[in-house]
């Protein structure tokens, strides 16, 4: 067989085409396998008690502790935690495998619909730079997993339409349920299925609506649950994730509220649609968080993008005789998929920006299908040879792959990602805040403080930037300035546990023990198992010699942090004053084992106890305490 014939046969082999899509996608994203944990990966995974602690799997499914009700996504991470722990590479491989499978599924769906450029659309989707955020950001497992199940649902539904097999229908319904349990952004899938039926057959019958009723019911239930969880995050604050023992440096769970009027929401929706449309066509100047544009005061210019969307729909509807139904169906599907993120519904992320790549993951194939369909129509009218189209597709695929390779590499460290972000979008306050966090983690406080101040200038309402600024000032010894910021936040957000705890820490650093004690107690009233507050309250009680109460609290504190030399020293001092010498020695020796430098403090405590014993003429106790001094010196 001639070589050309062999190549032709190979390119018609379905297994080869699928494997090629998967492999090319995998190679383009390889730099992402070296990516680090970023942004909210701690809340989602590394510090999430639902993931790491016993009983977490049941709580994922049967409690409201999570930030969102995506139990299938959280369960996948729960399972992988048992495999990879704190090694991000394993999670990256899983996300990338899912993305590769999604690419193949896009091809199979479009091929089932007899779309001539099915393989080309799938290739560009797999290589598209807009997908990097969903694939390389571990927390966006919810995107790749929900897309996977949604694509299976679409493919199964198309099989059902072709052969009316009940098993295919049930599979579609089950896969859609799994998609909703992975991420509720797929709630518009019933509308997408209607558009696909219309695009393929040109008409919708009563039966078409009837068979989608169960899908619509599932979407409605998912929407209610999602809105409730978003409301909980936005307005109530989420304290499910315990704060570290030290000061908090991180993001507030309620960054902002989407308090827009309906006209403002309409104006935002037009901008959002064209943003994703343009970035899919020309993915230039991409970044993690974009500047948040304003719609106040509202003018007629803000409605121009929305008018453009309506003009596009009318134009496509009017040109169906020349272009067919596919372009209109593609745009209609895109609008349906984007509906949850256009600004009409409350989303925590909209506190930072109106647009984000991970919010566009589901819609990329729709826009690519539209562009390639229009390109094919133009090619036919211009009578361009087929190799020309193939060459253009190859060039675009190479350009996409190169940019994807470059962007995936940015995720090797959070600092590199956020530095790129503030360069490309200097008005993105969340990026400045996050860069400040990363700089402070490596003790570059001066530069970090500058970025916190920039974030506060850009968004004065951003309390987490003020919180991080206060923490950075506290760590650099500017205690009074830190206290002023913490008190300001506490006045605005009274009752927030992390704010009260950090304020208590600042008071402790400033030597204002009564104030510190008051706030540590308030923290423990709201969160009785708060580790750091328990430990610090025990130390304050010990330092102020309220030994009876301290003796009750220190065991709880040591139960939380048994390897804290400071706690063992504090408890030993209390026990010496309570004349419980054997117990004091036990904790003192543990402290010296953990931190030899603590020996001098324990010698001093034993010497003071010996002096008290001599005052009451207790020579036996004095001799015992002299032995303690010797043991600490050893």
């Amino acid at each position: 067989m001639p070589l050309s014939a062999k190549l032709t046969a190979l390119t018609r082999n379905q297994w080869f085409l699928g494997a090629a899509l998967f492999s090319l996608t995998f190679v383009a994203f390889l730099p992402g396998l070296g990516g680090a944990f970023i942004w909210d990966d701690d809340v989602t995974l590394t510090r999430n008690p639902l993931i790491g602690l016993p009983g977490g799997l049941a709580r994922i499914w049967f409690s409201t502790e999570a930030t969102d009700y995506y139990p299938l996504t959280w369960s996948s991470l729960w399972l992988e935690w048992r495999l990879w722990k704190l090694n991000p590479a394993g999670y990256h491989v899983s996300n990338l495998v899912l993305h590769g499978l999604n690419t193949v599924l896009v091809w199979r769906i479009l091929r089932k619909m007899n779309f001539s450029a099915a393989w080309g659309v799938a290739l560009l989707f797999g290589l598209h730079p807009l997908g990097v955020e969903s694939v390389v950001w571990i927390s966006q497992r919810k995107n790749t997993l929900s897309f996977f199940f949604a694509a299976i649902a679409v493919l199964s539904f198309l099989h059902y339409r072709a052969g009316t097999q009940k098993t295919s229908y049930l599979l579609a319904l089950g896969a859609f349920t799994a998609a909703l349990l992975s991420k509720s952004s797929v709630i518009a899938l019933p509308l997408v299925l209607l558009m696909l039926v219309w695009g393929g057959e040109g008409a919708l019958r009563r039966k078409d609506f009837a068979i989608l009723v169960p899908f619509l019911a599932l979407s409605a239930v998912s929407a209610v649950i999602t809105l409730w969880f978003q409301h909980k995050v936005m307005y109530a604050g989420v304290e499910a994730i315990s704060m570290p023992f030290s000061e908090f440096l991180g993001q507030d769970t309620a960054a902002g509220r989407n308090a827009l009027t309906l006209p403002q929401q309409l104006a935002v929706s037009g901008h959002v649609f064209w943003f994703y449309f343009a970035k899919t066509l020309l993915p230039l100047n991409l970044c993690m968080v974009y500047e948040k544009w304003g719609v106040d005061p509202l003018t007629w210019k803000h409605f121009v993008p929305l008018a453009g969307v309506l003009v596009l729909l009318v134009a496509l509807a009017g040109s169906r005789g020349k272009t067919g139904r596919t372009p209109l169906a593609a745009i209609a599907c895109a609008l349906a998929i984007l509906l949850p993120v256009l600004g009409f519904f409350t989303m925590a992320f909209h506190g930072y920006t109106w647009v984000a790549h991970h919010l566009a993951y589901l819609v990329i194939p729709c826009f690519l299908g539209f562009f390639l369909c229009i390109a094919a129509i133009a090619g036919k009218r211009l009578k361009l040879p087929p190799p020309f189209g193939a060459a253009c597709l190859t060039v675009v695929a190479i350009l996409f792959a190169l940019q994807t390779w470059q962007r995936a590499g940015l995720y090797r460290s959070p600092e590199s990602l956020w530095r790129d972000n503030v360069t490309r979008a200097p008005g993105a306050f969340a990026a400045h805040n996050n860069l400040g966090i990363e700089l402070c983690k490596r003790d570059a406080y001066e530069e970090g403080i500058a970025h916190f101040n920039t974030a506060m200038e850009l968004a004065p309402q951003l309390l987490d930037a003020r919180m991080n600024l206060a923490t950075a000032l506290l760590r650099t010894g500017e205690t009074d300035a830190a206290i002023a910021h913490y008190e300001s936040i506490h006045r605005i957000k009274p009752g927030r546990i992390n704010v009260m705890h950090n304020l208590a820490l600042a008071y402790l650093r400033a030597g204002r023990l009564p104030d510190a004690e008051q706030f540590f107690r308030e923290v423990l009233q709201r969160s009785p198992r708060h580790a750091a507050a328990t430990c610090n309250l025990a130390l304050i009680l010990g330092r102020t010699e309220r030994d009876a109460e301290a003796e009750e609290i220190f065991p709880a504190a040591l139960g939380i942090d048994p390897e804290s030399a400071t706690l063992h020293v504090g408890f030993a001092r209390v026990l010496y004053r309570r004349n419980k010498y054997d117990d004091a020695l036990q904790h003192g020796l543990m402290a010296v084992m953990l931190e030899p430098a603590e020996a001098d403090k324990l010698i001093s405590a034993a010497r003071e106890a010996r002096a008290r014993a001599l005052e009451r003429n207790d020579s036996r106790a004095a001799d015992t305490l002299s032995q303690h001094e010797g043991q600490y010196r050893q």
Side-chain angles (χ1 to χ4, degrees), residues 475-493:
R475 291 183 179 181
T476 54
E478 298 184 46
T479 307
D480 291 340
I483 288 174
H485 283 295
Y486 284 138
E487 288 177 337
S488 159
I489 300 168
H490 181 62
R491 285 192 296 271
I492 299 170
K493 284 279 188 180

Side-chain angles (χ1 to χ4, degrees), residues 230-399:
Q230 287 289 320
H231 187 275
K232 180 187 73 167
V233 172
M234 294 285 290
Y235 295 93
V238 176
E239 299 292 353
I241 309 302
S242 299
M243 294 299 161
F245 281 16
S246 60
E247 305 94 334
F248 175 75
L249 266 176
Q251 295 77 28
D252 193 345
T253 53
R257 299 182 180 182
N258 181 23
L260 297 181
T261 63
L262 180 59
Q264 289 174 324
Q265 291 172 344
L266 290 169
V268 166
S269 68
H271 283 273
V272 171
F273 174 86
W274 287 113
F275 175 89
Y276 292 134
F277 183 95
K279 290 295 184 182
T280 305
L281 179 62
L282 292 172
L284 303 175
N285 200 32
L286 304 180
C287 58
M288 185 79 165
V289 181
Y290 290 90
E291 298 171 0
K292 186 177 182 180
W293 62 80
V295 286
D296 185 22
L298 198 61
T299 68
W300 65 270
K301 294 180 181 179
H302 289 107
F303 293 97
V304 171
L306 180 60
V309 176
L310 298 176
V311 169
L312 175 64
L313 290 172
V314 171
L316 292 174
S319 62
R320 280 178 295 161
K322 297 179 180 179
T323 62
R325 296 181 299 274
T326 302
L328 179 58
I331 294 300
C333 287
L335 283 169
I337 293 171
L338 287 174
L339 183 61
V341 300
L342 286 177
F344 296 109
F345 303 102
T346 299
M347 289 186 65
F349 201 82
H350 282 168
Y352 300 115
T353 179
W354 297 118
V355 292
H357 299 171
H358 68 272
L359 300 178
Y361 185 67
L362 295 172
V363 81
I364 296 172
C366 300
F367 285 137
L368 290 175
F370 172 80
F371 296 138
L372 265 66
C373 184
I374 296 299
I377 293 170
K380 287 181 181 179
R381 291 188 178 179
L382 295 174
K383 299 181 179 180
L384 298 175
F388 179 81
C392 290
L393 178 67
T394 302
V395 170
V396 173
I398 291 172
L399 293 175

